[in-house]
Amino acid sequence: MNQALTLSFIGGGNMASALASGLIGKRCGASDVHVIDVDESVLARWREQGVGTAGAPDDTLASQRVWVFAVKPQVMKETVARCKPFLRPDTLVISIAAGITSSTLAGWLGGDTPWTRLVRCMPNTPALIGAGVSGLLALDGVSEDDKAVAQLLLKAVGEVVWVDNDDQLDAVTALSGSGPAYVFLFLEALIQGGIDLGLDPQQSRKLALATLHGATQLAALSPEPPATLRERVTSKGGTTAAALAVFEKQGFSTLVQQAMRAAYDRAGELATDFAK
């Protein structure tokens, strides 16, 4: 990665801001970043950081080494069409738009000859605080240097996992992309459960948040699998065993897996819809 890292964010919303904040001053300067967005209020916030901006694709786009598409999937096809005239052979395209498969995007970018210098990414919302995890998929035209650039970009907001195809990226969507919502739902249930048992809302929230954080940190730092850690908390005939028996009776694990399957299937349906 000897070449200077110059970036264009096509769409300047929250995820683009998170990525840029992790890079500016560390891997590139504000002057190396260019943001395109139709919302003038969004561009004004970027200009306060010394970043170049534009309300539509322009000649600056052609000079940027990396393009990051960070627009809503519904406007992705139109946005790609407006940017395509500025595409150069050495441009690395990174998409963080959900639901647009790599083959669809490659076709939109390249026409009869699909564009293969392309990395598709699926970050999640904890990336907004630098604690995310992203699935990354590289097409055949992506060099090892390009992959290093994409990894550097996404590692600015958390961990990265490379996958081999769009189906696996749909699985990433079902696990980590949608996963924060599952955790928030469980957190809601824990807090309400504590309140129902006599704690006040502040006490219950503090206990629930600390429990989830501590348990996930323990799992991350322990060499043992989660099942072993669970067994160590569970004394025969004790309180945890009583609670886990209810989860098992209600099919908790099966329910989680069914929910993930529904998310995975929906990701495939959306990809088909957006490809039309």
Side-chain angles (χ1 to χ4, degrees), residues 240-258:
T240 306
L244 293 179
V246 175
F247 281 134
E248 184 175 356
K249 182 178 180 180
Q250 297 298 323
F252 178 76
S253 296
T254 299
L255 184 61
V256 170
Q257 291 155 17
Q258 288 174 344

Side-chain angles (χ1 to χ4, degrees), residues 175-198:
L175 200 167
S176 58
S178 298
Y182 316 155
V183 175
F184 298 147
L185 179 62
F186 186 57
L187 180 60
E188 289 178 67
L190 282 179
I191 293 171
Q192 188 58 53
I195 293 170
D196 292 346
L197 293 172

Side-chain angles (χ1 to χ4, degrees), residues 37-260:
D37 200 289
V38 297
D39 189 332
E40 175 56 31
S41 64
V42 169
L43 297 181
R45 291 195 296 271
W46 283 94
R47 285 195 292 271
E48 290 174 358
Q49 304 175 57
V51 171
T53 66
D58 57 9
D59 289 338
T60 302
L61 189 57
S63 67
Q64 302 298 91
R65 181 185 179 193
V66 181
W67 293 4
V68 181
F69 281 100
V71 297
K72 294 183 183 301
Q74 293 83 352
V75 300
M76 186 67 162
K77 187 174 185 179
E78 175 189 355
T79 303
V80 169
R82 296 176 68 191
C83 294
K84 185 177 174 181
F86 302 98
L87 195 62
R88 293 163 53 102
D90 61 347
T91 305
L92 171 62
V93 178
I94 298 174
S95 170
I96 60 174
I100 311 294
T101 66
S102 55
S103 59
T104 295
L105 185 53
W108 290 348
L109 286 163
D112 293 336
T113 304
W115 186 264
T116 59
R117 199 171 183 185
L118 169 65
V119 175
R120 183 185 170 205
C121 306
M122 174 50 64
N124 63 1
T125 54
L128 299 175
I129 60 166
V133 62
S134 303
L136 280 71
L137 168 63
L139 294 194
D140 292 341
V142 177
S143 67
E144 289 302 313
D145 188 54
D146 286 341
K147 288 182 69 174
V149 169
Q151 179 157 315
L152 175 74
L153 181 67
L154 272 299
K155 278 186 73 69
V157 293
E159 298 298 321
V160 300
V161 175
W162 287 94
V163 299
D164 297 327
N165 52 56
D166 283 292
D167 285 343
Q168 288 187 341
L169 209 56
D170 286 347
V172 170
T173 301
L175 200 167
S176 58
S178 298
Y182 316 155
V183 175
F184 298 147
L185 179 62
F186 186 57
L187 180 60
E188 289 178 67
L190 282 179
I191 293 171
Q192 188 58 53
I195 293 170
D196 292 346
L197 293 172
L199 298 171
D200 69 43
Q202 293 76 23
Q203 290 172 324
S204 192
R205 184 177 188 274
K206 185 174 183 178
L207 288 163
L209 284 168
T211 299
L212 281 180
H213 179 71
T216 54
Q217 285 294 101
L218 179 59
L221 295 173
S222 175
E224 297 172 322
T228 300
L229 298 176
R230 171 177 53 77
E231 289 164 1
R232 286 187 174 174
V233 183
T234 310
S235 301
K236 186 175 180 180
T239 59
T240 306
L244 293 179
V246 175
F247 281 134
E248 184 175 356
K249 182 178 180 180
Q250 297 298 323
F252 178 76
S253 296
T254 299
L255 184 61
V256 170
Q257 291 155 17
Q258 288 174 344
M260 291 176 64

